[in-house]
Amino acid sequence: MHDMSDEPQPQQPNEGWAPGEPQAAQDEGGAKPERPRRTGWRRLVPTWRVVLGACVIVVLLAAGGFFLGYQLVKIPPANALATQQANVYLYADGSVIARDGEVNRENVTLDQISEDARYAILAAEDRDFYTESAVDPKAMLRAAWNTALGKGKQSGSTITQQYVKNYYLRQEQTVTRKVKEFFIAIKLDREQSKDKILEGYLNTSFFGRNAYGIQAAAQAYYGMDAKDLDAGRAAYLAALVNAPSQYDVVAHPENRRAAEARWNYVLDGMVTKGWLSRSERAGMKFPMPKETTISTGLSGQRGYIVRIVQDYLVQNEIVDEASLDAGGYRITTTLHKDKQDAFVKAVDDQLMSKLDKKNRKVDTYVRAGGAAIDPKTGEVVAMYNGIDYVKQYTPNATRRDFQVGSTFKPFVFTAAVEHGSRTQDGRPITPNTIYDGTNKRPVQGWSGGSYAPENEDQVSYGDVTVREATDKSVNSVYAQMAVDVGSDKVKETAIDLGLPATTPELYPSPSIALGVAQASVLDMAEAYATLANHGKHGTYTMIKKITKDGKETVELPERRTRQAVSREAADTTTAVLRSVVQNGTATAAQAAGRPAAGKTGTAEEDTAAWFAGYTPDLATVVSVMGQDPVTAAHKSLYGAMGLDRVNGGGAPAEIWAQFTRDALEGEPVADFDLRIQAGADQPQAPATEPSGTPGTDDPAEGDAATGGDTGDTPGGETPDRTPDQSGGDTPGTADGGTTGGPATGGTPPEGGAADTGGTADGGTTDDPATGGTPPEGGATGTGGTTGTTTGTGAQNASRRQ
């Protein structure tokens, strides 16, 4: 029996509690009952309260982390690789010359990319780009899952995220980079339009073949601009983004099946989205990319052109050097591709093919430079600078270290006509003015010291007209003419015609007439173009148009022209130079098949031979130069091409003729329309009757006050003393001679004694017109002077034609 008692008995926990009844109802005094203890496996399962609390904490932490990340991660400046572009250099017709810079990229605006190209990229990379947010968590999770399952590395990134990676970040696969990419993409999507993001993506994506951006890719694979891409080609470029090196079917033909599968995937996506009709899609064939495309390298003439154009832009303050280095410029030059090719071919045919570098050391010294300018527009249409930029770095068209020789003489005559100059005895200087062409004849009227230049091969020509003296390039005549005009005025005229005022050795002295100045081929072409343009000068230009990043047009300086010298001065010079081509030292230029005017020239010790000439439509200057390929020292060209001598009437005139003929092929033949100096056809003989023996180095002494001019012959006609000419191409013959002044290029020696033994170190002499035989007939005037001067110094001589 149980012991019954009135005392209350202690209860066990939950004793007497019935399910469904409140525990408090069972507890005495309303005390809260204790929870049942969980035992066994139940202890491992979190309660719903724990789960809810944890979820709340996770959400709060995620929200806080997102907010913190959004605040802390800023949109950084673009990385260096993303902003670096190539500068693109184009011919006048828009075809590509070259691209410079390590990164082959050319940014373009969205409207400069074809609609097919835009849709192809979207179909390949992000078909819902315009409707989705900047990031796609679902795609990121799916990509991570597929990667984990071994289905290949997948990014799951939207176009916005890929653009952020390309433009703002680096390519490394790290968690930090992915986090930054996530937040920057969200911010960017809020700050920029979808079009702007797509444009940036298309300009920064890598397509293989060193092509960054779709414009560079279109050129690299198909040789066209992005605006011209059709659906088929655009789909292939879009396929490349996924695996650029693997899907290049030219480099990896074994991967063509995979590349075509990706190409089909892109096109099918375009059809699915309504961007391409099924009928168009059905007829498409895989567009095989080009085996070879325009090289982005700088070999051949390309490197020279890039360098010269860059120098031109910087020197003319059109684009500064730092901006050029950053890239992004599309520079359309004035160069014509057909004329450029014609120049290279002419040099190869008339010069390079005749060299034997293995058996003739002198042939290894041979260099060539050339430049052609349209006289009416001042546009440089072609240049030749060397055999290959990667082998010979110095651009021969713009270098200023070789004397121009007798190609300078026409500037002396132009100055004479321009200033109405007269001889020492008061006769006007015209093409028919008679001068004393005696060898080593001391110039009269020069206060700077005695100066008696040699003619080529010591030939004395007696009395000759200016026209004949130009045909034969007689030094003694032109040195005297420079004094008659005033050497300071000659220098001024040369600058007016187009030579830079800073031209080396362009000093006012009698020797200026003989070409001691060191102008470039391009400088001389500009000056001769002014003569061809009837004396109207405008600084040459080689740029037609410049754009930046595909849209910004860079302003070019306005080209201004002026009448540098009178039309009569320029046209009368042209008339005289036509005679040089018809009867003088430049007969080889007749092979151009057009009316032409020009002048030959040879530098000191035959280190360079020149021909400068023009038709009414084209002014071109060619120079063949001698330079040691190792030491870069100037070298004589005696024996080059197996010839005794290289002179302006040889290879330079022959190159000029072939180039001019080919460059103007198909264009109407134009004749010169000349307005000649009044009285140019009238003989201008000296006052005294001629006497003495012609063609001697030491004529009878005469009165120096007469100016040393020879008299005319009876009837006022000058005897024909023109030696047999062969264009200067026959060994031992040349185009007349000129003797330069001292090595300083302008100051003649004081009281020097002439060296009758030939060429000394101070200048250059022309090649002989007659092989040393003096002209026949004629008498030396009483005003002639002896062929030597007295004094202690030695007369420096030079050889120029």
Side-chain angles (χ1 to χ4, degrees):
M1 284 180 67
H2 292 288
D3 185 18
M4 305 295 293
S5 171
D6 293 334
E7 296 293 327
Q9 298 297 316
Q11 293 185 359
Q12 296 301 319
N14 297 329
E15 185 178 340
W17 174 73
E21 296 182 13
Q23 181 70 34
Q26 304 295 325
D27 294 339
E28 293 185 12
K32 187 176 182 180
E34 297 182 9
R35 298 180 187 278
R37 292 178 179 175
R38 307 180 69 181
T39 60
W41 60 271
R42 290 184 178 85
R43 288 181 298 174
L44 302 177
V45 179
T47 66
W48 66 271
R49 291 184 179 87
V50 173
V51 172
L52 180 61
C55 287
V56 171
I57 291 171
V58 169
V59 169
L60 290 174
L61 287 174
F66 180 86
F67 179 78
L68 187 63
Y70 190 85
Q71 293 299 317
L72 292 178
V73 176
K74 307 293 184 185
I75 298 179
N79 66 61
L81 183 64
T83 56
Q84 189 177 356
Q85 300 180 61
N87 294 313
V88 184
Y89 300 82
L90 309 170
Y91 287 111
D93 64 1
S95 57
V96 176
I97 299 172
R99 291 179 171 83
D100 66 359
E102 296 179 3
V103 174
N104 180 20
R105 176 190 286 115
E106 181 187 353
N107 288 344
V108 289
T109 57
L110 200 60
D111 60 5
Q112 292 175 306
I113 302 169
S114 73
E115 202 171 61
D116 282 335
R118 288 179 253 166
Y119 288 143
I121 287 290
L122 294 177
E125 297 297 315
D126 194 351
R127 297 179 184 181
D128 299 318
F129 170 72
Y130 277 98
T131 57
E132 72 181 3
S133 61
V135 295
D136 186 354
K138 252 174 38 175
M140 294 172 68
L141 290 172
R142 183 174 61 250
W145 180 255
N146 288 336
T147 301
L149 292 179
K151 295 183 178 180
K153 186 177 289 185
Q154 299 180 23
S155 69
S157 298
T158 64
I159 276 182
T160 305
Q161 287 174 276
Q162 292 182 58
Y163 171 51
V164 167
K165 179 182 69 173
N166 293 341
Y167 192 73
Y168 297 105
L169 304 174
R170 297 184 179 180
Q171 300 295 317
E172 71 270 10
Q173 297 292 330
T174 64
V175 174
T176 302
R177 198 268 295 164
K178 292 295 290 183
V179 170
K180 287 182 178 178
E181 177 189 301
F182 180 85
F183 287 112
I184 294 171
I186 293 172
K187 282 191 170 185
L188 198 65
D189 197 47
R190 294 171 60 89
E191 295 182 11
Q192 291 188 9
S193 68
K194 290 287 189 180
D195 280 353
K196 195 68 179 174
I197 292 171
L198 179 60
E199 178 184 297
Y201 175 74
L202 289 168
N203 280 318
T204 55
S205 295
F206 181 60
F207 291 83
R209 295 193 183 183
N210 195 37
Y212 289 83
I214 196 164
Q215 170 66 16
Q219 286 287 345
Y221 288 91
Y222 293 110
M224 61 173 55
D225 290 331
K227 65 181 175 62
D228 299 321
L229 288 169
D230 56 25
R233 292 181 177 86
Y236 176 67
L237 295 183
L240 286 169
V241 175
N242 187 254
S245 59
Q246 296 176 17
Y247 288 167
D248 186 340
V249 295
V250 173
H252 298 285
E254 69 277 8
N255 293 340
R256 175 160 179 167
R257 181 175 295 180
E260 286 196 33
R262 181 69 178 175
W263 177 72
N264 284 315
Y265 165 79
V266 175
L267 291 173
D268 291 343
M270 293 176 70
V271 172
T272 299
K273 297 296 291 186
W275 298 329
L276 181 67
S277 70
R278 291 189 181 276
S279 59
E280 286 180 293
R281 168 73 181 94
M284 284 190 181
K285 293 182 179 180
F286 182 74
M288 191 69 180
K290 289 188 175 182
E291 178 77 25
T292 56
T293 59
I294 294 173
S295 172
T296 60
L298 299 179
S299 60
Q301 297 296 307
R302 291 189 294 267
Y304 298 119
I305 292 171
V306 168
R307 176 172 169 183
I308 290 171
V309 170
Q310 286 178 341
D311 289 344
Y312 178 88
L313 293 174
V314 172
Q315 291 166 7
N316 288 278
E317 299 181 347
I318 299 170
V319 180
D320 61 73
E321 198 165 358
S323 298
L324 272 178
D325 289 343
Y329 290 94
R330 189 176 180 88
I331 302 162
T332 304
T333 71
T334 58
L335 298 173
H336 294 196
K337 189 177 188 309
D338 59 339
K339 292 180 175 62
Q340 188 69 30
D341 292 342
F343 221 145
V344 174
K345 187 175 188 305
V347 174
D348 288 344
D349 290 349
Q350 301 297 334
L351 179 65
M352 297 302 171
S353 65
K354 300 177 181 179
L355 301 179
D356 184 357
K357 296 184 179 182
K358 290 184 179 179
N359 299 311
R360 286 193 298 265
K361 186 176 181 180
V362 64
D363 282 0
T364 66
Y365 302 152
V366 174
R367 304 284 182 271
I373 293 178
D374 183 331
K376 298 177 182 65
T377 64
E379 293 182 348
V380 180
V381 297
M383 288 188 291
Y384 184 89
N385 284 281
I387 57 169
D388 192 333
Y389 181 70
V390 300
K391 296 177 182 177
Q392 298 175 5
Y393 296 104
T394 304
N396 292 327
T398 57
R399 64 189 301 169
R400 293 185 178 123
D401 58 336
F402 281 93
Q403 296 174 335
V404 301
S406 291
T407 56
F408 193 94
K409 284 189 171 87
F411 307 156
V412 182
F413 180 71
T414 303
V417 180
E418 174 70 9
H419 293 282
S421 301
R422 293 178 175 269
T423 63
Q424 295 292 304
D425 59 355
R427 291 170 294 124
I429 300 175
T430 73
N432 283 297
T433 299
I434 295 175
Y435 270 90
D436 182 357
T438 302
N439 182 50
K440 295 184 182 178
R441 174 188 176 279
V443 297
Q444 307 297 310
W446 169 246
S447 60
S450 180
Y451 184 58
E454 292 178 358
N455 292 332
E456 173 62 21
D457 283 356
Q458 313 294 318
V459 178
S460 287
Y461 293 92
D463 54 337
V464 290
T465 64
V466 168
R467 187 185 301 276
E468 291 174 314
T470 309
D471 287 349
K472 303 180 180 100
S473 207
V474 182
N475 291 342
S476 55
V477 170
Y478 268 89
Q480 182 61 58
M481 192 188 302
V483 174
D484 294 345
V485 176
S487 55
D488 55 339
K489 292 178 181 176
V490 172
K491 175 182 177 180
E492 176 188 319
T493 297
I495 294 171
D496 286 340
L497 290 172
L499 262 59
T502 56
T503 299
E505 309 302 323
L506 184 62
Y507 300 132
S509 75
S511 65
I512 194 173
L514 311 185
V516 293
Q518 297 172 4
S520 73
V521 169
L522 189 55
D523 295 335
M524 294 298 287
E526 181 178 350
Y528 272 71
T530 304
L531 294 175
N533 197 32
H534 308 293
K536 185 175 287 188
H537 172 260
T539 306
Y540 74 84
T541 177
M542 58 178 63
I543 306 297
K544 271 188 176 291
K545 177 184 173 185
I546 305 178
T547 59
K548 178 72 165 68
D549 294 334
K551 56 185 177 182
E552 177 189 341
T553 301
V554 178
E555 186 176 353
L556 297 175
E558 181 183 357
R559 182 175 183 264
R560 300 186 179 186
T561 60
R562 67 184 182 90
Q563 197 69 42
V565 297
S566 67
R567 176 165 182 169
E568 287 76 10
D571 286 1
T572 307
T573 301
T574 296
V576 170
L577 295 183
R578 290 200 65 185
S579 178
V580 176
V581 173
Q582 293 166 348
N583 310 305
T585 58
T587 54
Q590 295 176 14
R594 290 173 180 263
K599 183 71 186 75
T600 55
T602 306
E604 177 182 355
E605 294 300 323
D606 278 20
T607 56
W610 296 69
F611 181 68
Y614 51 94
T615 70
D617 302 308
L618 195 62
T620 306
V621 177
V622 178
S623 180
V624 176
M625 312 165 186
Q627 181 177 1
D628 190 300
V630 178
T631 66
H634 290 191
K635 290 288 187 177
S636 296
L637 292 176
Y638 298 121
M641 297 185 288
L643 302 174
D644 289 342
R645 177 177 294 166
V646 177
N647 52 55
E654 290 161 357
I655 292 169
W656 184 94
Q658 180 178 325
F659 165 71
T660 301
R661 182 185 69 240
D662 295 346
L664 297 177
E665 185 178 5
E667 297 186 21
V669 176
D671 204 349
F672 290 101
D673 176 22
L674 303 180
R675 188 180 301 164
I676 306 299
Q677 167 195 28
D681 57 344
Q682 300 298 318
Q684 298 291 336
T688 55
E689 289 295 323
S691 63
T693 305
T696 61
D697 282 350
D698 297 290
E701 292 183 8
D703 184 5
T706 65
D709 296 292
T710 58
D712 58 353
T713 56
E717 296 293 325
T718 303
D720 181 8
R721 298 187 184 83
T722 305
D724 183 26
Q725 299 291 332
S726 61
D729 197 26
T730 306
T733 68
D735 39 3
T738 70
T739 312
T744 59
T747 308
E750 296 181 5
D755 180 5
T756 60
T759 305
D761 13 314
T764 66
T765 348
D766 269 334
D767 301 332
T770 62
T773 305
E776 296 178 0
T780 311
T782 57
T785 60
T786 59
T788 60
T789 56
T790 58
T792 58
Q795 170 68 52
N796 291 312
S798 56
R799 174 171 289 142
R800 291 184 190 76
Q801 58 185 357

